[in-house]
Amino acid sequence: MIIVRVTGILVEDGRILLLDQDVDDRSWSLPGGRVEPGESLGDALVREMREETGLDVRVERLLYVCDHLPVGGPHVVHMTFEISRVGGELGRLTEGVDTNRIRGVRFVPFDELTGLGFGSRFAELARAGWPGAGSYAGAKKNIGL
């Protein structure tokens, strides 16, 4: 079984939008989620961003594709896109649609990423503007996730 997930990276004023939500081994994550059957990648990301952050977004460029192969679990393909805000209200979440409760949504300075459980590689990529955008990164850990 393969699961496809989309996540969005929204950067404004040197800060990246994150969710306060227990995911894997950290409590902060990128907004996004599973692509539903019959849903395009872009439509899934727009839906997930609206549900989890309250923002309406436009999907811009593909930043990276990576794999997560948990022992005994399904193969998860992560596709992460750069996005831009086009409307909505930050923090207006859609209740009951997420299996991991969202405690908050906020923009975080790049310098705080490692303190929130993101790898130093992820912080470097964010500061540099995602060099190598559109490439296959291999395992999730290769990009600091």
Side-chain angles (χ1 to χ4, degrees), residues 5 7 11 27 38 54 65 69 73 77 85 88 97 100 126 139 145:
R5 291 183 51 85
T7 50
V11 174
S27 64
V65 176
L69 300 164
V77 175
R85 183 192 322 208
V97 296
N100 294 321
L145 292 177

Side-chain angles (χ1 to χ4, degrees), residues 69-115:
L69 300 164
V71 176
H75 178 182
V76 182
V77 175
H78 289 267
M79 304 190 76
T80 299
F81 294 87
E82 182 175 56
I83 56 176
S84 58
R85 183 192 322 208
V86 296
E89 182 182 333
L90 184 64
R92 177 171 251 166
L93 312 180
T94 304
E95 294 296 325
V97 296
D98 223 287
T99 55
N100 294 321
R101 190 171 83 65
I102 298 170
R103 293 180 292 268
V105 181
R106 75 175 174 104
F107 282 93
V108 174
F110 296 148
D111 293 343
E112 293 180 20
L113 288 170
T114 56

Side-chain angles (χ1 to χ4, degrees), residues 16-142:
I16 189 168
L17 185 65
L18 297 178
L19 303 178
D20 181 3
Q21 169 187 48
D22 292 326
V23 174
D24 297 327
D25 58 348
R26 63 182 188 275
S27 64
W28 289 86
S29 65
L30 296 172
R34 187 181 291 207
V35 177
E36 300 295 334
E39 189 174 39
S40 73
L41 298 172
D43 287 347
L45 185 52
V46 167
R47 174 184 53 76
E48 288 286 346
M49 292 299 297
R50 187 177 307 116
E51 290 173 357
E52 295 184 345
T53 71
L55 296 180
D56 295 319
V57 301
R58 178 177 47 247
V59 178
E60 302 292 349
R61 65 183 173 140
L62 175 67
L63 296 180
Y64 54 82
V65 176
C66 59
D67 295 300
H68 182 55
L69 300 164
V71 176
H75 178 182
V76 182
V77 175
H78 289 267
M79 304 190 76
T80 299
F81 294 87
E82 182 175 56
I83 56 176
S84 58
R85 183 192 322 208
V86 296
E89 182 182 333
L90 184 64
R92 177 171 251 166
L93 312 180
T94 304
E95 294 296 325
V97 296
D98 223 287
T99 55
N100 294 321
R101 190 171 83 65
I102 298 170
R103 293 180 292 268
V105 181
R106 75 175 174 104
F107 282 93
V108 174
F110 296 148
D111 293 343
E112 293 180 20
L113 288 170
T114 56
L116 297 176
F118 290 84
S120 58
R121 177 72 179 138
F122 186 83
E124 290 169 18
L125 290 168
R127 278 189 206 93
W130 310 102
S135 62
Y136 171 63
K140 224 168 68 154
K141 66 180 180 174
N142 293 342

